[in-house]
Amino acid sequence: MTAPSLEIISTQLESPDLRDRMVALANLRHISPEEAVPLIKKVLDDESLQLRSMAVFALGIKQTPECYPILVRILETDPDYGIRADAAGALGYLGDNRAVEPLSRAFYEDTDWLVRFSAAVSLGNIKDSRAYNILIQALDSKEVVIQQAAISALGEIKSIESVDHILRFAQAEDWLVRQRLAEALGNLPTPKSVSALKYLEKDSHSHVAEAATISLKRLEEIENQV
């Protein structure tokens, strides 16, 4: 089945029927970023939050130089916290190091936990060591999901100096926190990481124990490459 033409997609994006607009936006996956982004922009202010959310996500996938400033503007100014969170997530997909600053600001200043969670995840995706201080602060969040995101992100940025900070979660009540810790330690080759992973291998939750085993193997591989 051939993809609809740009003209058809463009017309559908202006349809009063939400389903038409959603189908048109989905069809942009077959279109080059340069051709898709001008069409995505047509629905960034759509009355449907679901469609706007899809459009913001699409800007993270269909990457052109225009996407970064648009996503930063949405992250900083959109009144809907869900859309701001989508923009934070899409900036992580872009992988643009310039996003460290707006994502950091969003983490410090946004009042909604979902936006802060998305910002922490994206700071990990960008893998920039400048995120270290923010992610260490995020470990003290009252929201467990933000603690999870911070632990994962510190592993993603391969922050060896974070090991002492994250080991306190080895006995966290939430097994997902312990699993994120086991996964993160697999990127952080230190003797303390190995000791903690051997402890986590005996965890009462099978997912945590399995993640610890995988991470120990990864650390062995890293050591053998040195």
Side-chain angles (χ1 to χ4, degrees):
M1 187 176 141
T2 54
S5 70
L6 280 176
E7 289 76 15
I8 291 172
I9 293 174
S10 183
T11 304
Q12 273 189 308
L13 284 171
E14 293 171 3
S15 166
D17 188 322
L18 173 59
R19 189 175 173 282
D20 287 346
R21 301 199 300 278
M22 291 184 91
V23 169
L25 194 60
N27 279 328
L28 288 176
R29 66 178 175 272
H30 305 295
I31 308 295
S32 73
E34 289 70 26
E35 292 176 314
V37 168
L39 295 175
I40 294 167
K41 285 164 64 182
K42 291 175 83 162
V43 289
L44 281 174
D45 296 315
D46 197 89
E47 63 191 26
S48 162
L49 277 178
Q50 189 180 359
L51 189 68
R52 291 184 65 211
S53 176
M54 284 172 63
V56 170
F57 177 75
L59 288 177
I61 307 299
K62 297 290 185 183
Q63 301 177 5
T64 75
E66 208 177 354
C67 294
Y68 174 78
I70 293 172
L71 288 170
V72 170
R73 176 180 58 76
I74 293 169
L75 173 64
E76 293 179 343
T77 63
D78 201 276
D80 186 88
Y81 71 87
I83 300 295
R84 296 198 304 277
D86 290 331
L91 283 167
Y93 276 101
L94 282 187
D96 188 322
N97 288 60
R98 290 178 297 168
V100 171
E101 289 183 16
L103 286 169
S104 301
R105 273 198 306 276
F107 184 82
Y108 281 127
E109 296 170 9
D110 203 293
T111 53
D112 195 274
W113 71 267
L114 186 62
V115 181
R116 299 172 76 226
F117 169 76
S118 286
V121 171
S122 285
L123 285 167
N125 291 341
I126 293 169
K127 297 180 171 58
D128 189 306
S129 60
R130 287 176 297 159
Y132 172 79
N133 288 333
I134 288 151
L135 294 171
I136 292 295
Q137 283 192 27
L139 295 174
D140 294 326
S141 172
K142 294 186 182 71
E143 303 288 346
V144 173
V145 289
I146 292 178
Q147 293 175 351
Q148 291 172 18
I151 292 166
S152 294
L154 286 163
E156 294 271 8
I157 68 172
K158 295 184 167 53
S159 169
I160 297 292
E161 60 267 51
S162 71
V163 170
D164 285 342
H165 295 276
I166 62 177
L167 284 182
R168 72 180 203 247
F169 293 98
Q171 294 178 312
E173 282 182 37
D174 188 316
W175 67 267
L176 271 170
V177 173
R178 302 196 304 276
Q179 183 183 351
R180 294 290 174 268
L181 173 62
E183 291 163 353
L185 289 172
N187 289 322
L188 305 170
T190 73
K192 284 183 178 178
S193 301
V194 173
S195 300
L197 286 167
K198 286 178 176 168
Y199 171 79
L200 289 166
E201 265 196 312
K202 304 183 183 77
D203 197 274
S204 57
H205 199 289
S206 60
H207 289 355
V208 179
E210 190 181 337
T213 301
I214 292 166
S215 283
L216 277 170
K217 283 183 185 148
R218 187 182 297 137
L219 290 182
E220 276 173 34
E221 285 164 13
I222 292 170
E223 198 175 331
N224 292 336
Q225 286 166 6
V226 175

